[in-house]
Amino acid sequence: QVQLVESGGGLVQAGGSLRLSCAASGRTFSDYAMGWFRQAPGEERAFVATISRSGALTFVTHSLKDRFTISRDNAKNTVYLQMNSLKPDDTAAYYCAATIDYGLGYNLKVSDYSDWGQGTQVTVSS
């Protein structure tokens, strides 16, 4: 099991940027593919982005790919989500998640991940 702690959320005006961080501990970070999901009130948790264990492969959901970027630093056991040109619709709790990376492809579903952080709130004001 890997422990995950998100940070970097907060209140930002529309058009602004935030960088979320997710610090991992407990297991070998570079064994894990990482993902970001978000959940707005009353909605299901939705996929945002994923990155392979080495960081060589990334995928951001189509509707966000022009504004969001996922990256990782295995030396720091941390995965990041850079969010630019934020919109009020981006308001949600953002969660990072981990799953052992067997190199079988992108992990896009909630059920693909075994470990989750507690989430960090992002609120975008208009």
Side-chain angles (χ1 to χ4, degrees):
Q1 186 176 0
V2 60
Q3 288 76 46
L4 304 171
V5 179
E6 301 97 334
S7 62
L11 175 64
V12 63
Q13 288 188 332
S17 297
L18 283 175
R19 188 177 79 157
L20 305 184
S21 300
C22 173
S25 62
R27 292 293 177 96
T28 303
F29 182 63
S30 58
D31 286 342
Y32 288 81
M34 301 297 294
W36 285 98
F37 289 75
R38 68 184 185 182
Q39 187 169 19
E43 297 185 9
E44 293 186 353
R45 195 166 294 188
F47 171 79
V48 173
T50 187
I51 187 167
S52 64
R53 57 189 293 182
S54 69
L57 298 176
T58 63
F59 183 80
V60 179
T61 195
H62 180 74
S63 61
L64 300 175
K65 66 180 181 67
D66 293 334
R67 300 188 293 120
F68 288 18
T69 303
I70 188 170
S71 62
R72 67 190 293 160
D73 185 339
N74 284 350
K76 296 182 178 180
N77 291 352
T78 302
V79 62
Y80 305 98
L81 184 69
Q82 178 68 43
M83 306 186 294
N84 299 326
S85 302
L86 283 162
K87 306 175 180 179
D89 284 349
D90 295 319
T91 295
Y94 283 73
Y95 298 88
C96 72
T99 186
I100 294 289
D101 189 351
Y102 296 106
L104 299 178
Y106 293 121
N107 300 288
L108 307 182
K109 299 179 293 184
V110 170
S111 59
D112 288 338
Y113 293 86
S114 56
D115 300 293
W116 292 83
Q118 293 300 307
T120 186
Q121 179 66 35
V122 172
T123 302
V124 184
S125 63
S126 57

